[in-house]
Amino acid sequence: MSSAVQAERIGFIGLGIMGQSMAGHILAAGYEVHVFSRTKEKAEALLEAGAVWHDTPASLARVCTIVITMVGYPHDVEAVYLGDDGLVPNMAPGGLVIDMTTSQPALARRIHAQAAERGIAALDAPVSGGDVGARNATLAIMVGGDEAAYLRALPLFQVMGKSIALLGGAGAGQHTKMVNQIVIAGTIVGVAEALSYGAHAGLDLEKVLGVIGGGAAGGFQLNVLGKRMSEGDFAPGFFVHHFLKDMGIAASEAEAMGLDLRGLQTALHQFGRFAEQGGRECGTQGIFTLYQQQGQGAGPSADGDE
Ligand code: NAP
């Protein structure tokens, strides 16, 4: 870590499942950290560890040289960056803002352009790796923006993640995250269908996961979320409502490109049904319960309840 970067004063906005851990790593790495989040209680552990609380993004922006955001939805990103009390109107020229929320590519480009007019650099840098990756500082970080800003932010990314790349100009990080979410959409539905099949076939799912998790099907969705499915643990690591947001962004971008992505549409449909049944606040592995409701001697047909 260079001394120039250690001299940066870091702001962190959005202290939920992901943000709390990510801000914690930055604090633990020795940076001065300023925080703001919608619900102050979520900052308690960080404040005890030495972070400084602010009541608005504007107040935080005025004292920080780099501000990172990890909020929920594009409308939250827009409010935090472009609102009167937001980062772009209130940060000093020479600052750097980094949005790590999963959001829209077009919004990332708009923030980049408006920040540039005020002499502020902006990166979009969404992540993958889940609550586990945030806790263990092993996130994949997909960055869009200018190279100089990327190099300035890199020491911070290295504190939070392991697989880090600049993919192109503003919006390229969000587009890459959509690639990631399209993979996950098909994969999580596949894992839920497969474990439902295994359960109906009378197999011991723990043993099944133990063996196939080491084969070609292995990966985070199967090994981590499949395990949570088999244990009936549907607590949120990644909220269903956020996944629906992500798939909605991916679907509208794909439509604008003239692409017909049936796997994504199937996942969107299934998660929409799960949300209607009260699953919005569950973790994405909760989709397994949709498949558990079917079968009962009729065979594990994935679309048997359509
Ligand atoms: P979360 O637990 O809901 O955290 C979001 C935090 O941002 C909450 O604490 C929320 O406040 C705060 N917030 C929202 N709008 C705000 C605003 N306008 N001003 C200040 N604070 C605001 O969600 P998360 O799981 O950490 O996910 C955060 C983002 O990362 C989402 O875009 C998600 O899609 C993405 N992501 C999540 C994962 C994962 O596995 N969890 C992985 C990769 C990417 P409240 O506490 O009041 O709600």
Side-chain angles (χ1 to χ4, degrees):
M1 207 177 296
S2 77
S3 57
V5 171
Q6 282 173 317
E8 305 271 20
R9 284 183 306 282
I10 312 302
F12 204 108
I13 296 179
L15 303 173
I17 292 175
M18 301 294 283
Q20 278 187 38
S21 296
M22 294 159 72
H25 295 312
I26 294 171
L27 195 58
Y31 291 91
E32 181 179 318
V33 176
H34 297 253
V35 295
F36 167 69
S37 201
R38 190 164 53 196
T39 307
K40 188 174 178 183
E41 290 71 50
K42 296 200 179 166
E44 265 167 20
L46 289 162
L47 298 182
E48 271 171 33
V52 181
W53 175 259
H54 291 260
D55 285 325
T56 62
S59 150
L60 176 147
R62 287 188 200 105
V63 298
C64 293
T65 57
I66 298 180
V67 179
I68 297 172
T69 52
M70 191 57 166
V71 293
Y73 285 80
H75 63 82
D76 298 316
V77 173
E78 188 162 5
V80 165
Y81 278 85
L82 304 178
D84 291 343
D85 233 4
L87 298 175
V88 171
N90 291 289
M91 196 169 190
L96 166 63
V97 289
I98 308 169
D99 184 29
M100 304 188 80
T101 315
T102 305
S103 177
Q104 294 154 333
L107 179 56
R109 289 193 294 272
R110 194 144 59 89
I111 289 169
H112 183 271
Q114 294 195 23
E117 281 173 18
R118 293 213 57 250
I120 298 165
L123 296 170
D124 47 298
V127 307
S128 179
D131 53 335
V132 180
R135 270 200 304 280
N136 297 342
T138 54
L139 292 169
I141 305 179
M142 305 151 237
V143 190
D146 306 327
E147 192 174 11
Y150 173 74
L151 293 175
R152 182 176 171 190
L154 192 54
L156 286 169
F157 292 148
Q158 287 165 338
V159 162
M160 298 182 277
K162 287 272 178 266
S163 176
I164 304 158
L166 179 64
L167 286 311
Q174 295 296 353
H175 272 307
T176 305
K177 174 69 182 182
M178 290 307 126
V179 173
N180 186 81
Q181 296 311 74
I182 293 166
V183 173
I184 287 178
T187 313
I188 185 87
V189 167
V191 169
E193 290 190 358
L195 295 192
S196 171
Y197 175 96
H200 282 92
L203 297 171
D204 178 334
L205 293 185
E206 199 183 323
K207 281 190 183 166
V208 170
L209 287 167
V211 63
I212 72 169
F220 185 91
Q221 301 302 310
L222 183 73
N223 299 20
V224 177
L225 298 187
K227 184 163 185 290
R228 290 182 195 174
M229 287 179 195
S230 74
E231 291 167 349
D233 171 6
F234 304 122
F238 179 37
F239 286 115
V240 163
H241 67 86
H242 278 154
F243 194 35
L244 279 166
K245 174 249 313 174
D246 297 357
M247 289 191 285
I249 296 170
S252 81
E253 293 292 331
E255 192 185 345
M257 294 169 189
L259 297 175
D260 179 14
L261 304 185
R262 297 291 167 93
L264 174 63
Q265 289 302 337
T266 299
L268 200 44
H269 174 74
Q270 293 296 70
F271 273 90
R273 289 178 57 211
F274 181 48
E276 276 169 20
Q277 293 181 12
R280 283 180 59 80
E281 302 293 327
C282 286
T284 51
Q285 72 277 16
I287 193 70
F288 183 52
T289 61
L290 201 67
Y291 292 91
Q292 279 179 311
Q293 294 161 13
Q294 61 178 0
Q296 302 308 337
S301 165
D303 54 3
D305 63 342
E306 291 290 318

